[in-house]
Structure formats: C-alpha cells, structure tokens
Amino acid sequence: MDKIDRMRAFALVAKNASFTVAAQRMGRSARLISKYVADLEGALGVQLLNRTTRSVALTDAGTTYLALCAPLLDGFDELEDRVRNEQASLRGVIHISAPTGFGAVRLAPSLAKFAKKHPHVELDLKFSDRRVSIIEEGLDLAIRIGPMRDSSLKVRQLGRMPLVVCASPTYLEHAGTPRDPQALTGHDCILDGNMTEPTVWRFDVNGQEESVQVNGRFRMNAPAGSARLAAAGAAIARCPAYTVAKALSSGELVELFAEHRIAPYVVAALFPQNRHLTTRVRALIDHLATDPELCPDGA
C-alpha cells in the first residue's frame, strides 16, 4: 500500500472531519479510507484520530502529524505537476481566509478573475472578522488589514488601506460637526472590537501622531456594520476606506479630518514560513499583488 495514499487519506479525513468526504475526494470507498488511516496509525504506533459514531477529531499526535505531512503532500503534488508540465494549467485547492467585508467587496471580484484564468484551481474561501490561526485551520494564506502581529508568518504586501473618520449629514446636523480630532471626545463614536485599543483613535496633526480618547454606545467587530450604522446617523465611525467609498461618493457619509489621516494600513497576504509554497498559491499571491482593483483607495 502506498504511504502517500495513507497520508493523503488521513489528511483529507482530518481536514473534513469525515471519512465519507475523504473517500469522495480520493475516489475510494469509505471502508478503504478507514483501512488506510488504520494502517498508517499501525505503522506509526500512535493513534492519530479519535473516532465516534458521530464525529472524527484529531489527537495531539494527529495534530502534529497533519502539520508535518500537509506540506509534504503539497510538495508531492507540485512535483507531479512539474513533471507533467502543468504549470500553465494550475490545479488543486487553495484555502483562503479574509475579513468579511473586504472579502466580499474587494477580494471576491479579484478571485473571480483569477479563477477565470485558472479553471482547474478550486478556491475555498472562509470570511471572518476574527484573526484565525492559519496553521490550526489548515489555510494556505490569509488576507489581513492592519498591523501584522504574528512573526511566525511570512508577509507579502498587496496594497494599502486608509482609515476614514466619517458621519452622516443627519448626525452632524443633530450633534454638530467636530472642529478638530480632540472634539471627538464629546461625540458618540463607534468602537471597533477588532482593534487592540478601540477607544483610542490616532491622527496626524502637524506631522505628529496625536491620540484621541473616544467613547460611544456601539461596539462592532465588522467594519461594514460600522459604516452602515454611521450612514444611519447613529454615531461617528472610523472605517477602512473600502467600506465607505460608495457612501462618501453619494453624500450618504461625510469624511471628517481628511487632512489628519494617519498612514494607511497595510493589506497583506500571510502564509506559514515553514511550509512549501505551491505554484498555485504563489500564482494567486502574485495575481492579488498586481490587481489594481484590489486596493484602489491607498497610494
């Protein structure tokens, strides 16, 4: 029995938490997939999966083995691709995570263009406004906006994204227009739960960074939601430019303190340092980095 098949069967069962799905992906019976995994466990002398009639879960040893065997399988697949001269026709699955709003508004159209050029590539998208673990969730790359805190990951900059402070004309008519950033202390502001300091907004004042302590009744972990709250006249928001571009153009929102914007956030692709980067993932990252419509807001 081929050890690669055993490893692939185990990896597919682990990633999908299902022997049935793994069997479908490999074109084998579920019974044979179960035998592959059992034989692999026997050869290693450890249990990799906890099985019940309703669930499949990794053991600690299984988690370690999956992290090590996944890049080996990717490398083997790419080796076969190269031997068959298939670089021009990329194949396989790319697992991607991205913020919900940015993923829907900017990333999805760019991925559609990539998919059209590479019809044999499958894209598994997971949109979430929490910072997911790339390693633990079996992702090939994650798109993130803002400070890159995880030093264990490689970073490829894709673009830049300004933060825009804005409010609706209705709110400003009712509460008044703040004359300068410090005046925000007397206004209702929407706090971003994704930030490490949601109550501190920073501005560029005369070339120096100035911090303003803000507060408000609303706390959101989705920038698009903050933009909609602001457009409804609920409070003042600070949002990535992509979430408010249309509302600013239509006059639904008004930008405040444009002359005091701080340096734009970085939009980046993150991927594991110790994992071999497959041709298809490298091609996707190159595509995103050169797509002018992904981050048109920041210079």
Side-chain angles (χ1 to χ4, degrees), residues 166-172 228 230-233 244-255:
C166 56
S168 73
T170 302
Y171 175 88
L172 297 175
R228 296 315 305 158
V244 295
K246 289 184 178 180
L248 290 172
S249 297
S250 69
E252 192 178 8
L253 286 171
V254 176
E255 182 172 4

Side-chain angles (χ1 to χ4, degrees), residues 164-172 188-191 201 218 220 222-239 243-244 247-248 251-256:
V164 177
V165 176
C166 56
S168 73
T170 302
Y171 175 88
L172 297 175
D188 215 0
C189 297
I190 303 169
L191 308 181
W201 290 7
F218 297 98
M220 295 282 292
S226 296
R228 296 315 305 158
L229 271 175
I236 297 176
R238 184 183 63 163
C239 305
T243 64
V244 295
L248 290 172
E252 192 178 8
L253 286 171
V254 176
E255 182 172 4
L256 304 174

Side-chain angles (χ1 to χ4, degrees), residues 25 53 200 232 249:
R25 296 292 296 272
T53 55
V200 177
S249 297

Side-chain angles (χ1 to χ4, degrees), residues 65-77:
Y65 191 79
L66 179 63
L68 294 173
C69 82
L72 295 177
L73 292 171
D74 283 341
F76 181 78
D77 289 342

Side-chain angles (χ1 to χ4, degrees), residues 27-42:
R28 312 285 173 85
S29 70
R31 178 174 293 182
L32 183 57
I33 296 301
S34 179
K35 177 173 172 48
Y36 280 174
V37 174
D39 286 344
L40 179 62
E41 291 175 321

Side-chain angles (χ1 to χ4, degrees), residues 97-117:
S97 171
T100 304
F102 184 79
V105 175
R106 293 288 173 77
L107 182 62
S110 187
L111 292 178
K113 290 184 283 187
F114 179 82
K116 187 174 182 180
K117 289 194 297 184

Side-chain angles (χ1 to χ4, degrees), residues 13 17-24 29-30 33-35 37 49 51 56:
V13 171
S18 168
F19 282 89
T20 301
V21 173
Q24 292 171 347
S29 70
I33 296 301
S34 179
K35 177 173 172 48
V37 174
L49 297 170
R51 309 159 177 83
V56 178

